[in-house]
Amino acid sequence: MKFIIVGLGNFGSSIAMTLVEGGHDVIGVDNREAHINLHKDSLSHTLKMDSTNEQAIKELPLTDADAIVICIGENIGASITTAALLKKYAPKTRIFARTTSDIHKTIFESMGINDVVNPEAEFAQQFATRLTIAGNVKSMLLDDKYEIAEFEVPKSFIGKTVEDTKMLEDWKISLVTIISKSKRKNLIGREVRDVKVQGLVSGQTVFKDNDILVMFGQYTDIQKMMQEVQ
């Protein structure tokens, strides 16, 4: 797949490098020479340009991109202007945008950009969960009660079936799917992790070592289960 990352600060460069390691083509855009020089040899292509410049935006291969990610965080004005130009010249391309506040998010949503992320806020939520529940890999709060959470398979589950663990009956937790991870070399010879989602699981699915469980339920129920089964 092909991606355009606008803004190569810490957040943008992390996304760009993760995509490259996954074998994808990434064009990195930034108006700072230092950021361009830092990533010019690792990304598919880098461009030093001002993304608020309409003529410059028009020169990007917007229609060839599968998605565009706006990673500008410190300059809200530049972030919004960039989003407006991308909506104008890439109306059919999926656009993701970084937000830094609720107002920032509301402005994007009013422009029709609903794929937004606040990395600082989301990290804080996930990190708080990791601090309080052993085995947590990632969490996404859906409201003040429910969440979708990824956990390392508890040792007591390994070798058992989903039916054996009685997750739904005993803890009111639904197992959405299981993620298996392995290692491989990408196109440039770097070792990367392959992620395989098993899809729908059945009661007879057997848990294996290194599985990641994707679960849905109330935060308190997931916390209780993970404390009791570890």
Side-chain angles (χ1 to χ4, degrees):
M1 299 178 70
K2 297 180 180 180
F3 299 92
I4 297 175
I5 308 297
V6 183
L8 294 175
N10 291 332
F11 180 59
S13 60
S14 294
I15 293 175
M17 290 306 301
T18 300
L19 289 170
V20 168
E21 289 173 357
H24 302 287
D25 292 326
V26 178
I27 295 176
V29 176
D30 202 290
N31 63 353
R32 291 161 290 190
E33 189 74 37
H35 286 185
I36 293 298
N37 290 336
L38 184 63
H39 299 290
K40 64 181 180 180
D41 295 326
S42 53
L43 302 185
S44 307
H45 192 59
T46 52
L47 290 170
K48 181 180 181 299
M49 58 168 278
D50 178 3
S51 62
T52 66
N53 183 303
E54 186 168 4
Q55 188 58 44
I57 284 288
K58 289 167 63 177
E59 298 299 320
L60 290 172
L62 302 176
T63 57
D64 293 334
D66 292 288
I68 303 169
V69 188
I70 304 169
C71 298
I72 302 169
E74 68 279 4
N75 189 331
I76 295 179
S79 171
I80 293 170
T81 301
T82 298
L85 292 174
L86 290 173
K87 286 291 291 183
K88 179 179 180 179
Y89 292 107
K92 296 182 179 180
T93 304
R94 193 172 184 185
I95 299 173
F96 294 80
R98 174 188 181 183
T99 67
T100 55
S101 67
D102 289 339
I103 293 176
H104 198 182
K105 177 182 177 182
T106 300
I107 293 172
F108 277 140
E109 290 175 340
S110 70
M111 297 167 66
I113 299 176
N114 296 310
D115 291 310
V116 297
V117 58
N118 185 328
E120 291 83 4
E122 292 192 11
F123 174 78
Q125 292 172 348
Q126 292 179 20
F127 188 60
T129 302
R130 289 178 65 184
L131 286 173
T132 56
I133 310 180
N136 180 250
V137 176
K138 186 190 302 181
S139 300
M140 180 176 71
L141 297 177
L142 302 178
D143 59 16
D144 59 349
K145 290 184 179 180
Y146 291 93
E147 71 174 348
I148 295 175
E150 295 181 14
F151 279 85
E152 298 171 356
V153 61
K155 295 189 183 304
S156 60
F157 279 14
I158 297 173
K160 293 182 179 180
T161 66
V162 174
E163 190 175 85
D164 290 337
T165 62
K166 297 182 179 180
M167 296 172 64
L168 186 59
E169 296 91 332
D170 292 350
W171 292 286
K172 299 179 182 178
I173 295 170
S174 297
L175 181 63
V176 180
T177 191
I178 297 174
I179 300 173
S180 300
K181 295 186 177 181
S182 59
K183 294 181 179 180
R184 67 173 177 85
K185 297 251 180 156
N186 67 8
L187 296 175
I188 58 176
R190 291 184 179 176
E191 190 175 79
V192 296
R193 288 190 301 177
D194 255 343
V195 176
K196 181 181 180 182
V197 179
Q198 294 190 22
L200 294 176
V201 296
S202 71
Q204 299 309 307
T205 299
V206 177
F207 293 114
K208 299 176 182 178
D209 193 17
N210 296 322
D211 279 348
I212 300 296
L213 312 187
V214 183
M215 301 179 289
F216 167 79
Q218 291 195 41
Y219 169 84
T220 52
D221 291 333
I222 294 176
Q223 183 181 42
K224 181 180 179 182
M225 187 193 82
M226 294 306 297
Q227 288 174 341
E228 292 181 1
V229 301
Q230 288 291 345

